[in-house]
Amino acid sequence: MRRSVERLLNAHGFVTEGYASAEAFLHRDTKSRIGCLVLDIHLRGMSGIELRHRLKSAGSKLPVVFITAVDDKALELQGAQADCVAYLHKPFPAVLLIDAVNKALGAAPTD
């Protein structure tokens, strides 16, 4: 799924960096410029929501788009409380992800 999301975003002109886990993201080269995160809720190890909380605690204002295959209202509420830009249920139309990333980056949505 990560590679599919990367290919989709790349095809729409976004530069992406993919990470296999939240921990891998936390150990990345911090010189890279990141405009927003597309985070799966369920990751190996630390969850996407846990990563979001950890980043916020560290002072990060990086916008987040959550994606998940699980239809769980309590989890969706947790995502909303974590100040996500969008919360998308897999499978989602490509335009929803593109619009959410544009919104996160402050760009206009696509038609």
Side-chain angles (χ1 to χ4, degrees):
M1 181 65 170
R2 181 180 78 240
R3 287 186 185 101
S4 294
V5 168
E6 285 181 77
R7 282 192 296 267
L8 171 66
L9 293 173
N10 291 154
H12 283 84
F14 298 102
V15 176
T16 62
E17 293 179 21
Y19 299 91
S21 67
E23 293 82 3
F25 173 78
L26 289 172
H27 292 100
R28 78 194 186 287
D29 178 5
T30 55
K31 292 176 188 167
S32 63
R33 240 183 67 164
I34 297 175
C36 79
L37 293 176
V38 177
L39 283 176
D40 201 313
I41 295 289
H42 293 95
L43 301 170
R44 285 182 235 137
M46 184 187 308
S47 76
I49 290 177
E50 289 174 88
L51 175 59
R52 173 64 171 151
H53 287 304
R54 186 164 171 179
L55 292 171
K56 279 182 72 175
S57 293
S60 173
K61 298 192 184 314
L62 203 57
V64 171
V65 175
F66 283 123
I67 60 174
T68 186
V70 178
D71 189 13
D72 181 330
K73 294 298 177 195
L75 202 54
E76 192 166 346
L77 180 59
Q78 287 179 8
Q81 290 171 336
D83 298 325
C84 65
V85 172
Y87 190 96
L88 305 177
H89 294 271
K90 298 177 207 172
F92 46 81
V95 69
L96 289 182
L97 179 60
I98 300 306
D99 284 349
V101 170
N102 276 324
K103 180 179 176 184
L105 297 174
T110 58
D111 288 328

